[in-house]
Amino acid sequence: MEYIKLQIGCLAIVFFLIFVYLREVGVDPKKRTYSLFSAIYICAIVWIIFDGATSYTVNHLETVNYTLNLIFHMCFYVSIETMVFLMFLYILSITEGIPSKIWQKVLISLPFAVSIVLCFFLIDNIVFIQGSISNYSSSGSASTCYLIVILYFILTFITFFHRWKFIEKRKRMTIFVYMAVSIVVLVAQYNFPEILITSIVPVIFVLGIYLNHEEPAVKKLQAYNHDTVVDFATLVENRDNNTGGHIKRTTAYVSLLVNALRARGYHSDLLTKDFINNLKMAAPMHDIGKISTPDAILQKPGKLTDEEYAIMKQHATKGSEIIKETFGKRDNSDFIDMAYDVARFHHEKWNGRGYPTGLKDTEIPLAARIMAVADVFDAVSQKRCYREAMPLDECFEIIKKGRGSDFDPVLVDIFLEEREKVEEVYKQI
């Protein structure tokens, strides 16, 4: 017990987090999803268990079978290498995503695979050393383990700083802290091998990831906020006999466009993780101002008169005012500004002939330019009270003809290039 008190404490923390997590998500396996985080959780437990096992065996060499000691050490080294590799994959996944090409996957996994093989071949040359605080071990497997840990930590930090913009602002510092603390602990362990504190690292990993990314209560709150916005927007949309399909489709088209923009390297200074999340959240509110439009105009089956059209156009201005008044007290000012821009400017045109302000080309906020393409395409491709839905070919032709006049030319080109995905959204929603 003297040599495994730290490991017992670390294990208690991890199991407590599991208890809290299961309490939040429920114990029904059909409702639970298994992800990279689950693998990290399991690996953390294995790491701590074998850290405790090796801490005990190196201090009781006279009573522990030598082969069993080797097995414990080998499992310990493999669990460390696996945990750090999974951490690297996790940072990839929360930024731009894990590479999809086979050769890329092989490239990032090769050092890990080689280190596992070396661990098996080098474990037999293990040496046990007596220290002033505790005994400890040294071997080729241990050296290989620490080398691979350093390599993947370097790759993780490079990924973190290179993909900085694809991490939410509120999460950046937390991620940096739990990675930095982990490397400090490992460096201390390497320089002072008899202190046996490596079990702190998986606890830091799990705590950092859980509190920053995976906490179920936070996810539920975020989902609740999103559902509230969508329900509010759908309630407004129902006034013109639409059941909410317009909101879902336009949001999907917006998501498709913004992801395609980022993938092609456009507006890299703007398309941060926060920008994309805020835009997807703001998109459902683009027509929120229609709540102030009279039913007689909103549901009119025929063409609007000039006077009626002037009233209809007011929904853009009204919508931006409603957003400021209704959501203005939220602490996410970036989201409020995004929702304001989308509601107020999504009817502006690239040539400056839109409304309500007459902005042109890049004077129009990028979010509103993206929304404009999605909104017009869905408007012409669906049945409305005043006309039937147009054929898809004709809908795409309308977007194409609007290039450089109604819409941002780059967005039109990308939208047409993504036609297959657009049609999938059209058919599914």
Side-chain angles (χ1 to χ4, degrees):
M1 185 68 70
E2 177 185 355
Y3 298 102
I4 59 174
K5 291 179 180 178
L6 176 63
Q7 289 79 6
I8 292 173
C10 290
L11 207 56
I13 294 172
V14 173
F15 277 118
F16 175 74
L17 285 177
I18 292 176
F19 169 76
V20 174
Y21 180 77
L22 291 177
R23 186 186 62 183
E24 291 290 342
V25 302
V27 296
D28 185 355
K30 294 181 180 179
K31 296 181 180 180
R32 253 190 340 265
T33 57
Y34 298 93
S35 61
L36 192 56
F37 178 57
S38 302
I40 290 174
Y41 236 138
I42 294 170
C43 194
I45 294 172
V46 174
W47 176 335
I48 296 169
I49 288 173
F50 282 104
D51 185 26
T54 54
S55 296
Y56 178 85
T57 58
V58 295
N59 287 284
H60 296 82
L61 295 174
E62 67 283 355
T63 59
V64 178
N65 179 273
Y66 177 75
T67 303
L68 183 63
N69 207 345
L70 290 185
I71 293 173
F72 283 169
H73 277 79
M74 185 174 62
C75 292
F76 177 49
Y77 297 144
V78 170
S79 66
I80 293 176
E81 293 167 351
T82 305
M83 182 79 170
V84 176
F85 177 63
L86 290 176
M87 186 65 199
F88 170 59
L89 294 183
Y90 191 86
I91 295 298
L92 286 176
S93 70
I94 64 173
T95 52
E96 288 183 284
I98 298 173
S100 57
K101 296 180 180 179
I102 298 297
W103 69 268
Q104 292 173 319
K105 291 181 178 180
V106 171
L107 185 63
I108 63 176
S109 304
L110 187 59
F112 169 66
V114 171
S115 70
I116 296 296
V117 173
L118 288 175
C119 181
F120 280 94
F121 281 101
L122 298 175
I123 192 65
D124 198 37
N125 67 358
I126 193 167
V127 176
F128 300 105
I129 303 169
Q130 185 174 1
S132 58
I133 301 174
S134 169
N135 295 343
Y136 60 93
S137 61
S138 177
S139 67
S141 294
S143 299
T144 302
C145 177
Y146 281 113
L147 284 175
I148 209 66
V149 164
I150 291 171
L151 173 62
Y152 278 111
F153 258 110
I154 291 173
L155 292 175
T156 301
F157 274 102
I158 290 174
T159 301
F160 174 73
F161 287 109
H162 179 66
R163 299 181 172 187
W164 180 272
K165 292 181 179 179
F166 303 127
I167 302 173
E168 295 94 324
K169 289 180 182 178
R170 63 185 179 85
K171 295 182 178 180
R172 292 171 184 170
M173 184 53 66
T174 309
I175 295 172
F176 176 78
V177 168
Y178 72 68
M179 288 195 306
V181 172
S182 299
I183 194 65
V184 167
V185 173
L186 287 172
V187 169
Q189 177 66 63
Y190 182 78
N191 288 298
F192 306 98
E194 61 187 86
I195 59 178
L196 305 180
I197 60 171
T198 55
S199 58
I200 295 175
V201 176
V203 176
I204 294 171
F205 276 177
V206 170
L207 273 172
I209 295 174
Y210 180 84
L211 296 176
N212 211 33
H213 308 282
E214 304 289 342
E215 215 286 300
V218 174
K219 285 189 171 185
K220 287 179 182 178
L221 181 60
Q222 291 172 339
Y224 174 78
N225 288 339
H226 180 265
D227 290 344
T228 300
V229 169
V230 171
D231 290 345
F232 183 33
T234 302
L235 181 64
V236 174
E237 189 177 350
N238 285 340
R239 294 186 60 237
D240 61 354
N241 298 319
N242 198 308
T243 59
H246 176 65
I247 289 173
K248 296 175 184 177
R249 286 187 299 271
T250 52
T251 301
Y253 295 143
V254 164
S255 178
L256 191 156
L257 265 173
V258 75
N259 289 335
L261 272 175
R262 190 180 74 172
R264 289 165 173 77
Y266 289 103
H267 305 290
S268 58
D269 57 327
L270 283 178
L271 296 181
T272 63
K273 184 78 169 182
D274 290 305
F275 181 98
I276 294 171
N277 287 345
N278 287 333
L279 178 53
K280 291 177 182 178
M281 186 80 166
M285 296 197 291
H286 68 281
D287 276 337
I288 208 78
K290 286 184 178 179
I291 197 172
S292 64
T293 305
D295 289 343
I297 295 175
L298 201 60
Q299 301 174 9
K300 184 176 179 178
K303 184 178 180 180
L304 299 178
T305 65
D306 291 343
E307 292 78 10
E308 290 170 335
Y309 185 56
I311 294 173
M312 173 65 84
K313 290 196 296 184
Q314 292 176 7
H315 82 273
T317 302
K318 294 288 187 181
S320 61
E321 292 172 353
I322 289 171
I323 286 169
K324 285 292 186 182
E325 293 171 3
T326 306
F327 298 95
K329 294 182 180 180
R330 292 173 59 123
D331 58 0
N332 189 347
S333 60
D334 291 339
F335 166 70
I336 302 305
D337 293 340
M338 177 81 71
Y340 178 93
D341 288 345
V342 166
R344 188 174 184 85
F345 302 121
H346 72 283
H347 284 295
E348 300 288 358
K349 295 184 177 181
W350 188 256
N351 60 11
R353 296 181 181 178
Y355 65 86
T357 314
L359 300 179
K360 62 180 180 179
D361 49 66
T362 54
E363 293 175 351
I364 308 168
L366 177 60
R369 293 179 348 236
I370 294 171
M371 190 74 242
V373 175
D375 187 44
V376 170
F377 180 82
D378 191 69
V380 297
S381 64
Q382 299 296 319
K383 182 179 179 180
R384 294 298 174 93
C385 60
Y386 50 86
R387 60 155 175 78
E388 294 295 320
M390 297 181 183
L392 271 186
D393 287 340
E394 190 174 339
C395 296
F396 280 104
E397 189 62 28
I398 288 173
I399 299 298
K400 183 178 180 179
K401 288 181 178 178
R403 185 184 188 278
S405 55
D406 294 346
F407 311 116
D408 182 336
V410 172
L411 292 177
V412 170
D413 293 343
I414 291 177
F415 192 81
L416 297 177
E417 290 171 8
E418 298 289 322
R419 175 167 178 163
E420 186 175 339
K421 293 180 181 178
V422 172
E423 290 184 1
E424 287 179 10
V425 173
Y426 171 82
K427 294 174 183 176
Q428 292 174 4
I429 302 179

